[in-house]
Amino acid sequence: MGSERRVAIVTGASRELGAEIAVALARTGAAVVVAHHGEGARAEGVVSGIRSDGGVAHAYDANLATVGANRELVDFAVDELGRLDVFVANAGLTRWSPFLEMDEATWDEVVDLNLKGSYFGAQAAARRMVAQGDGGRIVFSSSVAGIVTAGNLSAYGVTKAGLAYMARALAVELGQHGITVNALAIGATVNERNLGDDPEYSEHWAGVIPTGRVGEPRDAAAALLYLASSEAGMVNGHTLVVDGGWTAVGDVPD
């Protein structure tokens, strides 16, 4: 990667993990596109925070479940900021459903964003990085749900396992261009959804995680910064598990 200011796209960046990643990348000096879908106020809040710290950021609204939207997102980043060095495919959604009750519409909703969107977002980003000729970094937001199975979460788990495989497959093809492709398998993490489901989420999960605490968005963001750095040039096709050791035991709260 060249000496110019790095440019990063972070999808699903209007809240929590994605927002934390966008801010963390901006603090390294990268200009960041904060991609979101229908959360303009939140996204502009992230952008304003980055700009108030002296950084460069733009918000971009897109439904990344479609191939065209991913290509337009990359075009926007290049048009506004001149290049692309880091692509973080973080946008995703969870849908709980027993397997025997899963319907086609729900399956398509999960797979189209989590898997197809990540795939074609990475493709659009990689095409630009190859054309630039000086490498790049692509990182997928996977999950421990793609490693340890959970009831009523089959569609989501399949997509997250698929993202880990996708990192390995794309790493083989893109490594020759100096582009590394990796994934983060993120464990139990405090966010609005989890706290809405269980106000004592942190306390309950801390009891089954070897490190004795639940994850926070900053934990995954710190791991992302390493994978996106020049120091990680030989880390390729890897899924970095950020779960405090939970997958070693796999216990769930009572």
Side-chain angles (χ1 to χ4, degrees), residues 140-172:
F140 299 121
S141 283
S142 184
S143 168
V144 294
I147 301 171
V148 178
T149 58
N152 302 325
L153 207 56
S154 57
Y156 176 81
V158 164
T159 64
K160 294 302 180 177
L163 288 172
Y165 177 83
M166 193 183 297
R168 293 196 300 275
L170 302 189
V172 172

Side-chain angles (χ1 to χ4, degrees), residues 50-113:
I50 290 171
R51 290 176 176 171
S52 68
D53 285 341
V56 176
H58 297 278
Y60 186 85
D61 191 349
N63 175 10
L64 298 177
T66 67
V67 176
N70 281 280
R71 293 173 178 167
E72 290 165 5
L73 168 61
V74 170
D75 288 345
F76 171 83
V78 174
D79 289 345
E80 291 291 327
L81 299 167
R83 57 182 294 112
L84 179 62
D85 303 281
V86 179
F87 183 79
V88 182
N90 175 68
L93 53 83
T94 308
R95 292 291 182 265
W96 296 84
S97 173
F99 170 65
L100 294 178
E101 298 175 14
M102 176 63 66
D103 59 79
E104 183 179 7
T106 302
W107 168 267
D108 287 347
E109 182 184 24
V110 174
V111 172
D112 283 354
L113 181 59

Side-chain angles (χ1 to χ4, degrees), residues 187-204:
T189 301
V190 176
N191 59 36
E192 290 180 13
R193 184 196 68 206
N194 290 335
L195 290 174
D197 292 340
D198 178 7
E200 297 182 11
Y201 180 88
S202 297
E203 293 78 5
H204 290 158

